[in-house]
Amino acid sequence: MSADAVVVGSGPNGLVAAVLLARAGRKVLLLEAADRFGGGLRSGELTLPGRVHDLGATVMAMALASPAFRELELKGVEFAHPPVAAAHPLDDRPAVLVHRDPRRTAEGLGRDAGAWLATVGATAKGGFPLVELLLKPLGPWRVPPATFLRAARFGAAGLLPATTFARRAFRTVEARALIAGMAAHSMLDLRAPITAGYGLLLASLAHLVGWPLVRGGSQVLADALVAEFRSLGGEAVTGHRVRRLAELDAPTVVLDVTPRQFLELADLPPAYRRRLERFRYGPGVFKVDWALDGPVPWRDPSVAGAGTVHLGGTLEEIVLSEAETAAGRRSPRPYVLLVQPYAADPTRGGHTLWAYCHVPNGSRADMTEAIETQIERYAPGFRDRVLARHTMGPAELEAGNPNLVGGDIGGGLASLTQFVRRPVWSPAPWRTPLPGVFLCSASTPPGASVHGVGGWQAARLALSGAAPSGSTS
Ligand SMILES: Cc1cc2nc3c(=O)[nH]c(=O)nc-3n(C[C@H](O)[C@H](O)[C@H](O)COP(=O)(O)OP(=O)(O)OC[C@H]3O[C@@H](n4cnc5c(N)ncnc54)[C@H](O)[C@@H]3O)c2cc1C
């Protein structure tokens, strides 16, 4: 196929870019290195036959809130909501629950009920325009002016370290632990700037759209994008790893890769090369998937209804765990992000469980024991439910997807600096100095997660350029 555009990599960003280019009438070729499309959206039978596990992303709050996915209006993708968005068990008291309804959530926070509504609740009230502004900080926007005021308020609190925000905004152990568990998704030291912003955004998304899973597994979303792409005449190929850009013969190339790979793929102008070489990757993760013979036996039964469970105890404990990782050390009591898909989606072949903890980039440590000990802490007898387990450290993750450099699932450190310089400081960082070549991965704004906004931005820029080859207009 002679193509107007080649998209390299089929993660959510590559897929969104491919669909938008094809919808605009371009002849598009999509090349994927792995044997299945989807990148971070792949699912598979990791443990026992018939058990569906998500290899990467599983919680789809960002996808549901994303302006890019809303614009695509995909068919055949159903989001499955658990009764409770997230739970945060604690040793000596009832678990804290995040419900879709902020008021119901606040009821569980005692003296911090009002503070929760004034902070997280107020951010959620900003609704989709605010999310659009946050996901597309460099525009273009379709947001009402009042949203900018709300965004300024969010920004003032969000720029703070999570530790400072938690101690200023809340007085209870429960609310402080809850926001720490949310902020720790950032994979940053929680004493660093903007970690409060990640916590506020994720918590408010639980109220705005919920924290659902894709019914049947995340692969269903990837497959729907591929089906839409093919229905538009796009050609999609797996098992094709692009090694040099010179292999590709098309006026437009969109790369769903991170800076380190881009440096290997092309001869770049020295100044841009040096800027990419300064790009920093974040910590890695160690992931465990289990097949269980029944639900996790939580000590507090209210945790059973939660899709996501944050294990790590108090604010102070989580801060310590993430600080250890950020300093390049393995945390003995790691903060664990756990998802029980069966709470939302009964179609995955039984009780499966998904969890990971953060580890230093490239770490070879086996964290299975440390993760299971954290689960046992809140669910004594958990190990007796395990039928089979599957583990992936940074090396295995990167072997399955070259974008996961050293096990970094975020496409690069999510620090304040790299929030604005992702991967370079520019009003259009998706554009590269090579004519017709664009970056779209999570290493471009707005960063990690399944939202497809990088792909949306790269496609928009590509389409604002030259007309398709053979076009007479
Ligand atoms: C374990 C894990 C858990 C996660 N949990 C969540 C979650 O719950 N919710 C959420 O929103 N996000 C989550 N994420 C993050 C999310 O998956 C990523 O941010 C998102 O997938 C990034 O999309 P992307 O398109 O930039 O790249 P990716 O999804 O990483 O896809 C890149 C694709 O490009 C391909 N590729 C790379 N180089 C080449 C080449 N040279 N030639 C051909 N193909 C190439 C790769 O094989 C891969 O398929 C998680 C990620 C992981 C790994």
Side-chain angles (χ1 to χ4, degrees):
M1 174 185 181
S2 76
D4 298 319
V6 177
V7 177
V8 177
S10 69
N13 286 310
L15 286 169
V16 166
V19 169
L20 292 178
L21 290 167
R23 278 193 184 173
R26 302 299 194 265
K27 276 203 278 179
V28 187
L29 173 64
L30 172 65
L31 299 173
E32 167 54 52
D35 58 6
R36 247 171 320 144
F37 296 110
L41 286 174
R42 280 172 295 160
S43 310
E45 290 179 347
L46 294 178
T47 54
L48 299 176
R51 303 268 179 152
V52 179
H53 299 271
D54 290 332
L55 275 65
T58 196
V59 178
M60 292 293 145
M62 282 289 199
L64 206 50
S66 161
F69 279 112
R70 256 178 299 128
E71 188 176 315
L72 289 188
E73 293 180 343
L74 284 178
K75 306 272 179 307
V77 181
E78 200 185 316
F79 290 99
H81 288 267
V84 176
H88 192 120
L90 291 161
D91 288 321
D92 54 354
R93 58 192 80 205
V96 198
L97 305 181
V98 182
H99 299 277
R100 187 72 185 275
D101 178 0
R103 293 196 167 277
R104 205 164 153 214
T105 306
E107 277 165 20
L109 292 173
R111 287 183 301 151
D112 276 327
W116 185 266
L117 293 174
T119 53
V120 177
T123 305
K125 262 193 192 154
F128 289 108
L130 182 59
V131 176
E132 181 165 342
L133 199 58
L134 295 173
L135 287 185
K136 297 193 298 186
L138 303 168
W141 308 293
R142 282 168 301 179
V143 298
T147 302
F148 286 93
L149 192 64
R150 236 181 243 282
R153 266 197 233 119
F154 172 88
L159 278 171
L160 294 171
T163 44
T164 311
F165 173 75
R167 290 184 182 122
R168 271 192 203 164
F170 304 124
R171 287 171 294 169
T172 62
V173 170
E174 287 87 346
R176 288 179 175 180
L178 189 57
I179 205 72
M182 299 278 171
H185 282 240
S186 65
M187 301 176 78
L188 294 171
D189 186 327
L190 298 187
R191 298 165 300 181
I194 72 164
T195 45
Y198 291 108
L200 273 169
L201 176 63
L202 287 174
S204 58
L205 283 178
H207 297 322
L208 185 62
V209 291
W211 280 17
L213 279 68
V214 176
R215 193 175 170 84
S218 300
Q219 185 76 50
V220 171
L221 176 55
D223 291 348
L225 285 158
V226 174
E228 170 70 4
F229 174 65
R230 285 185 165 144
S231 77
L232 296 161
E235 186 182 343
V237 178
T238 54
H240 186 129
R241 181 159 183 175
V242 174
R243 308 243 166 225
R244 294 290 292 166
L245 280 199
E247 291 168 33
L248 310 175
D249 180 20
T252 300
V253 174
V254 178
L255 299 170
D256 191 3
V257 306
T258 78
R260 188 176 297 179
Q261 295 140 275
F262 190 27
L263 286 164
E264 287 166 9
L265 281 169
D267 297 321
L268 299 167
Y272 185 73
R273 169 170 284 273
R274 278 195 298 277
R275 291 164 83 193
L276 288 192
E277 282 167 351
R278 280 205 295 271
F279 189 77
R280 288 178 60 205
Y281 289 88
V285 309
F286 187 94
K287 181 169 186 276
V288 189
D289 291 275
W290 297 265
L292 306 178
D293 69 359
V296 177
W298 298 109
R299 187 183 293 118
D300 180 338
S302 69
V303 181
T308 302
V309 187
H310 294 152
L311 304 173
T314 59
L315 164 75
E316 288 72 21
E317 271 186 88
I318 297 174
V319 170
L320 188 64
S321 165
E322 295 307 289
E324 288 285 309
T325 310
R329 292 186 294 267
R330 151 192 179 169
S331 167
R333 295 231 294 182
Y335 157 79
V336 174
L337 232 154
L338 179 145
V339 175
Q340 28 191 19
Y342 55 84
D345 179 10
T347 71
R348 300 197 179 198
H351 291 84
T352 62
L353 204 62
W354 172 114
Y356 66 73
C357 72
H358 302 149
V359 292
N361 191 284
S363 166
R364 297 195 166 273
D366 183 342
M367 299 299 282
T368 313
E369 180 65 24
I371 289 177
E372 291 194 352
T373 301
Q374 284 289 52
I375 303 175
E376 281 276 340
R377 177 177 164 192
Y378 301 102
F382 161 73
R383 284 195 181 94
D384 299 336
R385 295 268 158 97
V386 176
L387 298 173
R389 61 173 68 72
H390 176 274
T391 63
M392 287 186 282
E396 292 79 26
L397 287 164
E398 190 173 345
N401 177 351
N403 284 29
L404 308 181
V405 177
D408 176 2
I409 65 170
L413 196 71
S415 62
L416 175 59
T417 322
Q418 291 204 159
F419 183 71
V420 290
R421 200 184 67 201
R422 198 164 184 92
V424 295
W425 169 249
S426 159
W430 309 274
R431 205 187 283 284
T432 78
L434 304 183
V437 178
F438 302 87
L439 282 175
C440 75
S441 74
S443 306
T444 66
S449 279
V450 177
H451 44 61
V453 173
W456 183 89
Q457 295 277 24
R460 193 179 60 85
L461 283 176
L463 291 168
S464 69
S469 60
S471 160
T472 50
S473 59

